[in-house]
Short mmCIF file of all heavy atoms in Angstrom, two decimals:
data_model
loop_
_atom_site.label_atom_id
_atom_site.label_comp_id
_atom_site.label_asym_id
_atom_site.label_seq_id
_atom_site.Cartn_x
_atom_site.Cartn_y
_atom_site.Cartn_z
N MET Y 26 -110.64 -24.56 25.52
CA MET Y 26 -110.94 -23.59 26.56
C MET Y 26 -110.09 -23.82 27.80
O MET Y 26 -109.57 -22.88 28.42
CB MET Y 26 -112.43 -23.65 26.93
CG MET Y 26 -112.89 -22.59 27.92
SD MET Y 26 -114.65 -22.73 28.28
CE MET Y 26 -115.33 -22.45 26.64
N SER Y 27 -109.90 -25.09 28.16
CA SER Y 27 -109.13 -25.40 29.37
C SER Y 27 -107.67 -25.03 29.23
O SER Y 27 -106.97 -24.81 30.23
CB SER Y 27 -109.27 -26.89 29.70
OG SER Y 27 -108.64 -27.68 28.71
N HIS Y 28 -107.18 -24.94 27.98
CA HIS Y 28 -105.78 -24.59 27.76
C HIS Y 28 -105.61 -23.18 27.20
O HIS Y 28 -104.53 -22.82 26.72
CB HIS Y 28 -105.13 -25.61 26.81
CG HIS Y 28 -105.04 -26.99 27.38
ND1 HIS Y 28 -104.25 -27.30 28.46
CD2 HIS Y 28 -105.68 -28.14 27.05
CE1 HIS Y 28 -104.39 -28.58 28.76
NE2 HIS Y 28 -105.25 -29.11 27.92
N GLY Y 29 -106.67 -22.39 27.26
CA GLY Y 29 -106.59 -20.97 26.90
C GLY Y 29 -106.38 -20.70 25.44
O GLY Y 29 -105.80 -19.67 25.07
N ILE Y 30 -106.80 -21.61 24.57
CA ILE Y 30 -106.65 -21.40 23.12
C ILE Y 30 -107.89 -20.66 22.62
O ILE Y 30 -109.00 -21.20 22.59
CB ILE Y 30 -106.50 -22.74 22.38
CG1 ILE Y 30 -105.25 -23.48 22.87
CG2 ILE Y 30 -106.40 -22.50 20.87
CD1 ILE Y 30 -105.08 -24.86 22.28
N THR Y 31 -107.71 -19.40 22.24
CA THR Y 31 -108.85 -18.56 21.86
C THR Y 31 -108.74 -18.00 20.45
O THR Y 31 -109.62 -17.26 20.01
CB THR Y 31 -108.97 -17.38 22.84
OG1 THR Y 31 -107.74 -16.64 22.84
CG2 THR Y 31 -109.24 -17.88 24.27
N ASP Y 32 -107.67 -18.35 19.73
CA ASP Y 32 -107.48 -17.77 18.40
C ASP Y 32 -108.27 -18.47 17.31
O ASP Y 32 -108.23 -18.07 16.15
CB ASP Y 32 -106.00 -17.74 18.03
CG ASP Y 32 -105.37 -19.13 18.06
OD1 ASP Y 32 -105.98 -20.03 18.68
OD2 ASP Y 32 -104.29 -19.32 17.47
N MET Y 33 -108.97 -19.56 17.65
CA MET Y 33 -109.85 -20.22 16.69
C MET Y 33 -111.00 -20.87 17.44
O MET Y 33 -110.88 -21.23 18.62
CB MET Y 33 -109.09 -21.25 15.84
CG MET Y 33 -108.64 -22.50 16.58
SD MET Y 33 -107.92 -23.74 15.47
CE MET Y 33 -106.42 -22.94 14.95
N SER Y 34 -112.13 -21.04 16.72
CA SER Y 34 -113.29 -21.69 17.33
C SER Y 34 -113.13 -23.20 17.26
O SER Y 34 -112.27 -23.72 16.54
CB SER Y 34 -114.57 -21.28 16.59
OG SER Y 34 -114.54 -21.76 15.25
N ALA Y 35 -113.98 -23.90 17.99
CA ALA Y 35 -113.91 -25.37 18.01
C ALA Y 35 -114.21 -25.93 16.63
O ALA Y 35 -113.56 -26.89 16.18
CB ALA Y 35 -114.88 -25.92 19.05
N ILE Y 36 -115.20 -25.36 15.94
CA ILE Y 36 -115.54 -25.90 14.62
C ILE Y 36 -114.42 -25.59 13.61
O ILE Y 36 -114.13 -26.40 12.71
CB ILE Y 36 -116.90 -25.35 14.11
CG1 ILE Y 36 -117.28 -26.07 12.82
CG2 ILE Y 36 -116.85 -23.85 13.89
CD1 ILE Y 36 -118.69 -25.81 12.37
N GLU Y 37 -113.76 -24.44 13.76
CA GLU Y 37 -112.63 -24.13 12.88
C GLU Y 37 -111.50 -25.12 13.12
O GLU Y 37 -110.86 -25.60 12.17
CB GLU Y 37 -112.15 -22.71 13.15
CG GLU Y 37 -111.06 -22.25 12.20
CD GLU Y 37 -110.58 -20.84 12.49
OE1 GLU Y 37 -111.16 -20.18 13.37
OE2 GLU Y 37 -109.62 -20.39 11.82
N ALA Y 38 -111.27 -25.46 14.39
CA ALA Y 38 -110.24 -26.45 14.71
C ALA Y 38 -110.61 -27.80 14.11
O ALA Y 38 -109.74 -28.51 13.56
CB ALA Y 38 -110.09 -26.57 16.23
N PHE Y 39 -111.89 -28.19 14.19
CA PHE Y 39 -112.35 -29.46 13.63
C PHE Y 39 -112.09 -29.50 12.12
O PHE Y 39 -111.58 -30.50 11.59
CB PHE Y 39 -113.84 -29.64 13.92
CG PHE Y 39 -114.42 -30.91 13.37
CD1 PHE Y 39 -114.43 -32.07 14.11
CD2 PHE Y 39 -114.97 -30.94 12.09
CE1 PHE Y 39 -114.96 -33.24 13.60
CE2 PHE Y 39 -115.50 -32.10 11.56
CZ PHE Y 39 -115.51 -33.26 12.33
N LEU Y 40 -112.43 -28.42 11.42
CA LEU Y 40 -112.23 -28.38 9.97
C LEU Y 40 -110.74 -28.42 9.62
O LEU Y 40 -110.34 -29.06 8.64
CB LEU Y 40 -112.89 -27.12 9.39
CG LEU Y 40 -114.42 -27.07 9.50
CD1 LEU Y 40 -114.94 -25.71 9.04
CD2 LEU Y 40 -115.06 -28.18 8.69
N ASN Y 41 -109.91 -27.74 10.42
CA ASN Y 41 -108.46 -27.77 10.18
C ASN Y 41 -107.88 -29.16 10.40
O ASN Y 41 -106.84 -29.51 9.81
CB ASN Y 41 -107.75 -26.77 11.09
CG ASN Y 41 -107.98 -25.33 10.67
OD1 ASN Y 41 -108.26 -25.05 9.51
ND2 ASN Y 41 -107.86 -24.41 11.61
N MET Y 42 -108.53 -29.94 11.24
CA MET Y 42 -108.04 -31.28 11.56
C MET Y 42 -108.39 -32.32 10.49
O MET Y 42 -107.86 -33.43 10.52
CB MET Y 42 -108.61 -31.74 12.91
CG MET Y 42 -107.96 -31.06 14.10
SD MET Y 42 -108.96 -31.24 15.61
CE MET Y 42 -109.06 -33.03 15.72
N ILE Y 43 -109.26 -32.00 9.54
CA ILE Y 43 -109.70 -32.98 8.55
C ILE Y 43 -108.52 -33.59 7.78
O ILE Y 43 -108.40 -34.82 7.69
CB ILE Y 43 -110.74 -32.37 7.59
CG1 ILE Y 43 -112.07 -32.17 8.35
CG2 ILE Y 43 -110.96 -33.27 6.37
CD1 ILE Y 43 -113.15 -31.48 7.53
N PRO Y 44 -107.59 -32.78 7.21
CA PRO Y 44 -106.46 -33.41 6.50
C PRO Y 44 -105.47 -34.10 7.44
O PRO Y 44 -104.61 -34.86 6.97
CB PRO Y 44 -105.80 -32.22 5.79
CG PRO Y 44 -106.19 -31.02 6.57
CD PRO Y 44 -107.57 -31.32 7.08
N MET Y 45 -105.58 -33.85 8.74
CA MET Y 45 -104.71 -34.51 9.72
C MET Y 45 -105.29 -35.85 10.17
O MET Y 45 -104.58 -36.65 10.78
CB MET Y 45 -104.50 -33.62 10.94
CG MET Y 45 -104.02 -32.22 10.64
SD MET Y 45 -103.92 -31.24 12.15
CE MET Y 45 -103.92 -29.58 11.49
N ASN Y 46 -106.56 -36.08 9.90
CA ASN Y 46 -107.21 -37.34 10.29
C ASN Y 46 -106.91 -38.38 9.21
O ASN Y 46 -107.75 -38.74 8.39
CB ASN Y 46 -108.72 -37.12 10.43
CG ASN Y 46 -109.42 -38.24 11.17
OD1 ASN Y 46 -108.92 -39.37 11.20
ND2 ASN Y 46 -110.56 -37.95 11.75
N LEU Y 47 -105.68 -38.87 9.23
CA LEU Y 47 -105.17 -39.66 8.12
C LEU Y 47 -105.91 -40.97 7.92
O LEU Y 47 -106.16 -41.38 6.77
CB LEU Y 47 -103.67 -39.93 8.33
CG LEU Y 47 -102.78 -38.69 8.40
CD1 LEU Y 47 -101.32 -39.10 8.62
CD2 LEU Y 47 -102.91 -37.86 7.13
N TYR Y 48 -106.29 -41.65 8.99
CA TYR Y 48 -106.96 -42.94 8.80
C TYR Y 48 -108.31 -42.75 8.12
O TYR Y 48 -108.67 -43.52 7.22
CB TYR Y 48 -107.15 -43.66 10.14
CG TYR Y 48 -107.80 -45.02 9.95
CD1 TYR Y 48 -107.03 -46.13 9.64
CD2 TYR Y 48 -109.18 -45.18 10.04
CE1 TYR Y 48 -107.61 -47.37 9.41
CE2 TYR Y 48 -109.77 -46.42 9.83
CZ TYR Y 48 -108.99 -47.50 9.52
OH TYR Y 48 -109.57 -48.72 9.29
N ALA Y 49 -109.06 -41.73 8.53
CA ALA Y 49 -110.37 -41.51 7.93
C ALA Y 49 -110.24 -41.11 6.46
O ALA Y 49 -110.96 -41.63 5.59
CB ALA Y 49 -111.14 -40.44 8.71
N VAL Y 50 -109.32 -40.21 6.16
CA VAL Y 50 -109.14 -39.73 4.78
C VAL Y 50 -108.70 -40.87 3.87
O VAL Y 50 -109.30 -41.12 2.80
CB VAL Y 50 -108.12 -38.57 4.74
CG1 VAL Y 50 -107.76 -38.24 3.29
CG2 VAL Y 50 -108.67 -37.34 5.44
N PHE Y 51 -107.66 -41.59 4.27
CA PHE Y 51 -107.13 -42.65 3.40
C PHE Y 51 -107.96 -43.93 3.51
O PHE Y 51 -107.92 -44.77 2.61
CB PHE Y 51 -105.66 -42.90 3.71
CG PHE Y 51 -104.78 -41.78 3.21
CD1 PHE Y 51 -104.30 -40.82 4.10
CD2 PHE Y 51 -104.48 -41.66 1.87
CE1 PHE Y 51 -103.51 -39.77 3.65
CE2 PHE Y 51 -103.70 -40.61 1.41
CZ PHE Y 51 -103.22 -39.66 2.29
N GLY Y 52 -108.73 -44.07 4.59
CA GLY Y 52 -109.69 -45.17 4.65
C GLY Y 52 -110.75 -45.02 3.58
O GLY Y 52 -111.12 -45.98 2.90
N LEU Y 53 -111.26 -43.78 3.42
CA LEU Y 53 -112.22 -43.51 2.35
C LEU Y 53 -111.57 -43.68 0.97
O LEU Y 53 -112.19 -44.21 0.04
CB LEU Y 53 -112.78 -42.10 2.49
CG LEU Y 53 -113.85 -41.88 3.55
CD1 LEU Y 53 -114.19 -40.39 3.67
CD2 LEU Y 53 -115.11 -42.67 3.20
N ALA Y 54 -110.31 -43.24 0.86
CA ALA Y 54 -109.61 -43.40 -0.42
C ALA Y 54 -109.44 -44.88 -0.76
O ALA Y 54 -109.58 -45.27 -1.92
CB ALA Y 54 -108.25 -42.71 -0.35
N MET Y 55 -109.18 -45.71 0.25
CA MET Y 55 -109.04 -47.14 0.01
C MET Y 55 -110.37 -47.76 -0.41
O MET Y 55 -110.41 -48.65 -1.28
CB MET Y 55 -108.50 -47.84 1.26
CG MET Y 55 -108.39 -49.36 1.13
SD MET Y 55 -107.35 -49.89 -0.27
CE MET Y 55 -105.72 -49.68 0.44
N VAL Y 56 -111.46 -47.31 0.17
CA VAL Y 56 -112.78 -47.80 -0.22
C VAL Y 56 -113.03 -47.48 -1.70
O VAL Y 56 -113.50 -48.33 -2.47
CB VAL Y 56 -113.89 -47.19 0.66
CG1 VAL Y 56 -115.26 -47.49 0.09
CG2 VAL Y 56 -113.79 -47.73 2.08
N LEU Y 57 -112.73 -46.25 -2.10
CA LEU Y 57 -112.91 -45.87 -3.50
C LEU Y 57 -112.00 -46.68 -4.41
O LEU Y 57 -112.42 -47.14 -5.48
CB LEU Y 57 -112.63 -44.37 -3.66
CG LEU Y 57 -113.68 -43.43 -3.09
CD1 LEU Y 57 -113.18 -41.99 -3.09
CD2 LEU Y 57 -114.98 -43.53 -3.89
N ALA Y 58 -110.75 -46.88 -4.00
CA ALA Y 58 -109.82 -47.68 -4.80
C ALA Y 58 -110.29 -49.12 -4.90
O ALA Y 58 -110.22 -49.74 -5.98
CB ALA Y 58 -108.42 -47.61 -4.19
N THR Y 59 -110.79 -49.65 -3.80
CA THR Y 59 -111.29 -51.03 -3.80
C THR Y 59 -112.48 -51.18 -4.73
O THR Y 59 -112.61 -52.17 -5.45
CB THR Y 59 -111.68 -51.45 -2.36
OG1 THR Y 59 -110.54 -51.36 -1.51
CG2 THR Y 59 -112.21 -52.86 -2.33
N ALA Y 60 -113.36 -50.17 -4.72
CA ALA Y 60 -114.55 -50.22 -5.57
C ALA Y 60 -114.17 -50.06 -7.05
O ALA Y 60 -114.67 -50.79 -7.91
CB ALA Y 60 -115.54 -49.14 -5.16
N CYS Y 61 -113.28 -49.13 -7.34
CA CYS Y 61 -112.91 -48.86 -8.73
C CYS Y 61 -112.06 -49.99 -9.33
O CYS Y 61 -112.24 -50.37 -10.48
CB CYS Y 61 -112.15 -47.54 -8.83
SG CYS Y 61 -113.14 -46.08 -8.50
N LEU Y 62 -111.11 -50.47 -8.54
CA LEU Y 62 -110.15 -51.46 -9.04
C LEU Y 62 -110.51 -52.89 -8.65
O LEU Y 62 -109.80 -53.83 -9.02
CB LEU Y 62 -108.75 -51.12 -8.52
CG LEU Y 62 -108.23 -49.71 -8.85
CD1 LEU Y 62 -106.90 -49.47 -8.17
CD2 LEU Y 62 -108.13 -49.52 -10.35
N ASP Y 63 -111.61 -53.04 -7.89
CA ASP Y 63 -112.06 -54.36 -7.43
C ASP Y 63 -110.92 -55.10 -6.71
O ASP Y 63 -110.56 -56.22 -7.06
CB ASP Y 63 -112.57 -55.19 -8.60
CG ASP Y 63 -113.54 -56.28 -8.14
OD1 ASP Y 63 -114.09 -56.16 -7.03
OD2 ASP Y 63 -113.74 -57.26 -8.90
N LEU Y 64 -110.36 -54.44 -5.70
CA LEU Y 64 -109.25 -55.00 -4.95
C LEU Y 64 -109.76 -56.02 -3.94
O LEU Y 64 -110.63 -55.72 -3.12
CB LEU Y 64 -108.49 -53.89 -4.20
CG LEU Y 64 -107.95 -52.75 -5.06
CD1 LEU Y 64 -107.27 -51.70 -4.19
CD2 LEU Y 64 -106.98 -53.28 -6.12
N ASN Y 65 -109.23 -57.23 -4.00
CA ASN Y 65 -109.65 -58.30 -3.10
C ASN Y 65 -108.42 -59.00 -2.56
O ASN Y 65 -107.74 -59.72 -3.28
CB ASN Y 65 -110.54 -59.31 -3.83
CG ASN Y 65 -111.75 -58.66 -4.46
OD1 ASN Y 65 -112.55 -58.04 -3.79
ND2 ASN Y 65 -111.86 -58.77 -5.78
N VAL Y 66 -108.13 -58.78 -1.28
CA VAL Y 66 -106.94 -59.37 -0.67
C VAL Y 66 -107.33 -60.14 0.59
O VAL Y 66 -108.41 -59.93 1.15
CB VAL Y 66 -105.90 -58.28 -0.31
CG1 VAL Y 66 -105.42 -57.58 -1.56
CG2 VAL Y 66 -106.47 -57.27 0.68
N GLY Y 67 -106.45 -61.02 1.01
CA GLY Y 67 -106.72 -61.81 2.21
C GLY Y 67 -107.92 -62.72 2.01
O GLY Y 67 -108.17 -63.23 0.91
N SER Y 68 -108.68 -62.92 3.06
CA SER Y 68 -109.83 -63.81 2.99
C SER Y 68 -110.96 -63.24 2.13
O SER Y 68 -111.89 -63.96 1.76
CB SER Y 68 -110.36 -64.12 4.39
OG SER Y 68 -110.70 -62.93 5.08
N MET Y 69 -110.87 -61.94 1.81
CA MET Y 69 -111.88 -61.35 0.92
C MET Y 69 -111.86 -62.04 -0.44
O MET Y 69 -112.89 -62.14 -1.12
CB MET Y 69 -111.62 -59.85 0.76
CG MET Y 69 -112.70 -59.11 -0.02
SD MET Y 69 -114.22 -58.91 0.93
CE MET Y 69 -113.77 -57.49 1.93
N ARG Y 70 -110.71 -62.53 -0.86
CA ARG Y 70 -110.60 -63.18 -2.17
C ARG Y 70 -111.50 -64.41 -2.25
O ARG Y 70 -112.19 -64.63 -3.24
CB ARG Y 70 -109.15 -63.58 -2.45
CG ARG Y 70 -108.25 -62.39 -2.70
CD ARG Y 70 -106.89 -62.82 -3.19
NE ARG Y 70 -106.21 -63.68 -2.23
CZ ARG Y 70 -105.03 -64.23 -2.44
NH1 ARG Y 70 -104.40 -64.05 -3.58
NH2 ARG Y 70 -104.46 -64.99 -1.51
N SER Y 71 -111.48 -65.24 -1.19
CA SER Y 71 -112.29 -66.46 -1.22
C SER Y 71 -113.77 -66.12 -1.19
O SER Y 71 -114.58 -66.78 -1.85
CB SER Y 71 -111.92 -67.36 -0.04
OG SER Y 71 -112.17 -66.71 1.19
N HIS Y 72 -114.15 -65.09 -0.44
CA HIS Y 72 -115.56 -64.68 -0.42
C HIS Y 72 -116.01 -64.17 -1.78
O HIS Y 72 -117.12 -64.46 -2.23
CB HIS Y 72 -115.76 -63.60 0.65
CG HIS Y 72 -115.80 -64.13 2.05
ND1 HIS Y 72 -116.95 -64.56 2.66
CD2 HIS Y 72 -114.81 -64.32 2.95
CE1 HIS Y 72 -116.68 -64.98 3.87
NE2 HIS Y 72 -115.39 -64.85 4.08
N GLU Y 73 -115.15 -63.41 -2.44
CA GLU Y 73 -115.49 -62.91 -3.77
C GLU Y 73 -115.54 -64.04 -4.79
O GLU Y 73 -116.41 -64.05 -5.67
CB GLU Y 73 -114.48 -61.85 -4.19
CG GLU Y 73 -114.68 -60.50 -3.55
CD GLU Y 73 -115.96 -59.84 -4.00
OE1 GLU Y 73 -115.98 -59.24 -5.08
OE2 GLU Y 73 -116.96 -59.94 -3.27
#
């Protein structure tokens, strides 16, 4: 609103930003990969 952007709503902008939120998207992908492939690196190896 402060910059005069009126061609989309705030929620539409939020939804469009989902594939641009790279850390969140690939962070979830890494969690799934870690769970499926049982990936253990760094100090996680000793704990496992």
Side-chain angles (χ1 to χ4, degrees):
M26 185 179 298
S27 67
H28 294 294
I30 300 175
T31 57
D32 58 342
M33 71 173 68
S34 65
I36 187 169
E37 185 180 356
F39 179 90
L40 294 174
N41 287 336
M42 286 163 58
I43 289 176
M45 308 176 199
N46 195 336
L47 299 180
Y48 182 85
V50 170
F51 287 102
L53 282 174
M55 177 57 80
V56 169
L57 288 170
T59 300
C61 291
L62 303 175
D63 204 20
L64 304 178
N65 304 301
V66 297
S68 58
M69 187 73 81
R70 290 190 300 178
S71 61
H72 283 271
E73 283 293 279

